[in-house]
Amino acid sequence: MTATVLILNGPNLNLLGTREPEIYGAQTLDDVKKLCEDEAARLGVAVDFRQSNIEGELVTWVQEARTTTSGLIINAGGYTHTSVALHDALKAYENQIVEVHISNIYAREEFRHKSYISPLAKGVICGFGASGYVYAMQLLAQSHSV
């Protein structure tokens, strides 16, 4: 059975490529998805790539993933800094989690420096653009999570 990595993207990431390209770059979310699918094929894993602007939908997907995935990569966008509900859902996820951010959240506004996800993650990758997703997949593969 092929391992599956769930990749979750939070609010406003559907606007990649047009929203603040000086911060987030010119790649679209579809471009990021293609990068992830290509890396998944190289690693021999399946990828389930999703985006939602709705906090509750992200929470539901994390809950469902508890029994269907081998690892989880999450860029929760603004919910990173605000969502206790997402934190609690991730806390119940028993496989490895990698937190990803396209920009370096620590070089930005002070409120972005606090993450409700980081304490639950194996690691945090930020500031490397869309490549951060690929690095996260490689990390999961190297740690034998997937």
Side-chain angles (χ1 to χ4, degrees):
M1 186 166 141
T2 302
T4 300
V5 175
L6 177 61
I7 302 175
L8 293 182
N9 295 279
N12 299 312
L13 287 161
N14 56 307
L15 300 177
L16 282 178
T18 58
R19 176 180 172 247
E20 299 180 282
E22 68 281 1
I23 294 173
Y24 299 109
Q27 290 178 303
T28 66
L29 193 61
D30 283 339
D31 294 335
V32 176
K33 180 180 181 183
K34 175 80 167 96
L35 279 174
C36 292
E37 289 171 343
D38 290 349
E39 186 62 16
R42 191 186 76 72
L43 294 170
V45 300
V47 68
D48 183 355
F49 191 95
R50 302 180 187 191
Q51 187 276 331
S52 181
N53 293 320
I54 302 167
E55 182 180 23
E57 190 165 37
L58 293 166
V59 167
T60 298
W61 290 341
V62 170
Q63 291 174 356
E64 292 170 353
R66 293 175 60 219
T67 58
T68 61
T69 64
S70 303
L72 192 151
I73 297 168
I74 185 164
N75 180 346
Y79 292 140
T80 301
H81 321 291
T82 63
S83 181
V84 173
L86 192 53
H87 168 93
D88 288 347
L90 290 166
K91 196 171 185 180
Y93 184 80
E94 295 179 1
N95 295 314
Q96 290 189 355
I97 299 164
V98 179
E99 179 181 355
V100 171
H101 298 283
I102 292 169
S103 68
N104 180 352
I105 61 175
Y106 301 103
R108 298 186 61 198
E109 303 94 336
E110 182 74 26
F111 72 87
R112 295 186 195 277
H113 299 182
K114 169 68 175 158
S115 169
Y116 283 92
I117 296 169
S118 294
L120 306 171
K122 176 175 181 65
V124 178
I125 300 169
C126 67
F128 293 98
S131 297
Y133 290 83
V134 173
Y135 303 149
M137 293 178 71
Q138 293 169 351
L139 174 74
L140 289 174
Q142 289 170 2
S143 64
H144 307 290
S145 293
V146 295

